[in-house]
Amino acid sequence: MTTLATRTDDLAELRASVHDWCRAHVPADWRRAQTGVGDAEFVAFQQAWFQELRAAGWAVPHWPAEWGGGLSAAEQMVLYQELAAADAPRLVLAFVSIHHAAATLLTAGTDEQRARHLPAILDGEIWVQGFSEPEAGSDLASLRTTARREPRDGGDVFVVNGQKLWASGALHADWCLLLARSDPAAPKRRGISYLLMDMRSPGLDVRPIRNAVGDGHFCEIFLNDVEIPAANLVGPENAGWQVAQATLSAERGMTMLELAERLGNVGLRALVETCRRPDERGHRPIDDSRVADRLAGFDTEIAGLRALCRDLVERHDTGSVGPADASVVKVYYSELLQRMTGFAAELAGLDALSELHKPASSGWESGAWLLDFIGSWEWTIPGGTNEIQRTIIGERGLGLPREP
């Protein structure tokens, strides 16, 4: 019989194990080494760090046990707490692969698709999400990229034409989770198919969108008669919208456990350090009662976020997640992140405005506060803007009348 004391002992043992492992394996001075690096150095570092975690059994704790995961929600919480406390690098490059791609394959993929791609992801296969378009960002159902089914000698293919926008990490990706309109005559949410696209396919053109400091994290993907085998269709044809909801749910669900711990450990710790740093007159922001009050408020909000995330994952395991629960967490996290990084940028002063680079393998709380604040908007817009999330909360969560 498993008792509460037994489970508590097991968690304490896991915590000690992860703590010791981090002391031995987290790369020393990785933040400095990863600041201002080129693409090749970033990819090599990320791939090596992923394999370190994989060897320890902690790269994909949220996956089923038969695929290399199997940790409970409580165990995942302990793992992410210790990784954050040790200031371990984040799996930035593998984020879409281990969360969105895996959730899609596990929820709606075929046995062949899972057998092909899940082991490959563990070996380092990189994925990108091809959802948003120039005129279909927050409203994904309005996408215009087309997928026309045609026969070929080796079997049917989908011939895809169109453009995808804001594709994070597309320059490094091997495969793409692609939404395309396969039935232009159907209502907009019923004529979309979900496809797995090889990024080495003829007719693909990936172009980075360089920002003011030269980073090209976001990319455009142009598709000109790209052929995708029908065997790469996920779920029923023209039912890709429903499949996509599993992908977006993964983004707002399991991923938040790690992000909440990062915000509570790395982010809040860095913010407190900034507040303790004296200015040119020797004044420390933390000695101002208004600043101390804001810090206490952030600490309280993070405690609430952690509780929400754990509850969401535990109810996901039991199948009792509400239709708007993931949207609540997404809004809460993204706006808390934005407030914290904005407040930190104010306190950091002019020095923060001159930072042009942040560690490539860090999260959105690197301590380069202006860049972190700019990056925080990445969480309030993609995956369904916060305005859309509030509509979901109102209509599906609270039962309010639908928008006209």
Side-chain angles (χ1 to χ4, degrees):
M1 177 179 177
T2 301
T3 65
L4 178 60
T6 302
R7 292 197 300 271
T8 302
D9 290 343
D10 290 344
L11 291 178
E13 184 178 341
L14 174 64
R15 186 179 299 279
S17 178
V18 178
H19 178 81
D20 291 343
W21 184 90
C22 286
R23 292 183 63 182
H25 292 269
V26 171
D29 201 22
W30 69 266
R31 285 185 173 273
R32 182 197 58 77
Q34 279 283 287
T35 299
V37 297
D39 287 345
E41 294 93 333
F42 165 66
V43 172
F45 179 85
Q46 281 282 304
Q47 294 280 32
W49 178 238
F50 183 88
Q51 293 307 319
E52 285 275 345
L53 287 167
R54 179 191 179 187
W58 296 326
V60 288
H62 55 292
W63 287 19
E66 62 267 29
W67 292 109
L71 267 64
S72 67
E75 290 168 330
Q76 290 178 57
M77 183 76 76
V78 168
L79 172 63
Y80 291 134
Q81 284 174 347
E82 290 303 316
L83 288 172
D87 191 25
R90 287 195 64 240
L91 294 176
V92 181
L93 190 65
F95 188 83
V96 173
S97 308
I98 63 176
H99 292 295
H100 306 130
T104 300
L105 293 166
L106 290 166
T107 301
T110 64
D111 289 341
E112 292 77 11
Q113 289 168 349
R114 285 190 283 270
R116 160 65 183 86
H117 290 293
L118 292 178
I121 288 172
L122 291 176
D123 287 337
E125 188 174 82
I126 302 169
W127 286 71
V128 64
Q129 191 169 285
F131 284 13
S132 296
E133 298 183 3
E135 295 184 18
S138 58
D139 182 13
L140 286 177
S142 297
L143 61 87
R144 297 182 180 182
T145 293
T146 60
R148 185 179 70 256
R149 188 162 187 156
E150 293 185 359
R152 293 288 188 273
D153 290 341
D156 285 3
V157 301
F158 287 93
V159 181
V160 184
N161 285 277
Q163 178 186 356
K164 294 296 177 177
L165 193 60
W166 310 122
S168 302
L171 273 178
H172 313 303
D174 302 303
W175 285 81
C176 175
L177 303 171
L178 185 74
L179 288 181
R181 188 162 301 285
S182 48
D183 184 357
K188 64 180 186 178
R189 285 181 175 81
R190 297 179 186 172
I192 296 171
S193 289
Y194 200 117
L195 301 165
L196 309 178
M197 180 175 67
D198 189 334
M199 291 295 286
R200 293 152 295 197
S201 302
L204 266 177
D205 183 17
V206 178
R207 304 177 191 174
I209 303 171
R210 298 291 179 187
N211 63 17
V213 297
D215 293 335
H217 174 63
F218 292 117
C219 299
E220 295 177 281
I221 303 175
F222 294 89
L223 305 103
N224 183 22
D225 287 340
V226 176
E227 295 190 1
I228 301 176
N232 290 12
L233 175 69
V234 181
E237 188 171 346
N238 300 323
W241 180 256
Q242 289 72 27
V243 176
Q245 302 317 299
T247 303
L248 295 176
S249 176
E251 179 180 24
R252 301 170 197 146
M254 295 293 192
T255 62
M256 290 299 176
L257 263 183
E258 178 195 1
L259 295 174
E261 292 307 320
R262 294 278 176 176
L263 194 61
N265 279 279
V266 182
L268 188 60
R269 188 168 62 219
L271 177 54
V272 171
E273 290 173 0
T274 297
C275 292
R276 286 175 173 160
R277 196 175 302 140
D279 61 20
E280 62 278 1
R281 296 171 297 174
H283 298 154
R284 301 192 314 161
I286 201 168
D287 295 329
D288 187 317
S289 60
R290 294 167 297 180
V291 172
D293 184 64
R294 288 292 297 277
L295 290 175
F298 287 136
D299 192 26
T300 302
E301 288 189 84
I302 289 170
L305 174 64
R306 284 168 158 161
L308 272 177
C309 291
R310 177 164 182 171
D311 179 64
L312 180 63
V313 173
E314 288 176 340
R315 285 190 291 111
H316 181 275
D317 290 344
T318 61
S320 59
V321 176
D325 292 350
S327 295
V328 171
V329 174
K330 197 260 189 183
V331 171
Y332 190 171
Y333 168 78
S334 61
E335 295 184 359
L336 174 56
L337 174 69
Q338 203 167 80
R339 290 195 304 275
M340 276 185 62
T341 54
F343 180 62
E346 286 183 45
L347 293 179
L350 292 176
D351 288 345
L353 304 182
S354 62
E355 298 243 22
L356 297 180
H357 300 287
K358 58 187 287 186
S361 297
S362 67
W364 292 268
E365 59 289 310
S366 72
W369 291 119
L370 183 62
L371 298 179
D372 287 337
F373 177 59
I374 293 171
S376 72
W377 290 85
E378 183 177 338
W379 270 97
T380 61
I381 298 172
T385 65
N386 281 15
E387 289 77 10
I388 285 180
Q389 301 310 319
R390 285 185 164 85
T391 297
I392 293 172
I393 294 167
E395 294 177 358
R396 302 181 193 173
L398 302 177
L400 300 176
R402 290 181 61 85
E403 284 195 45

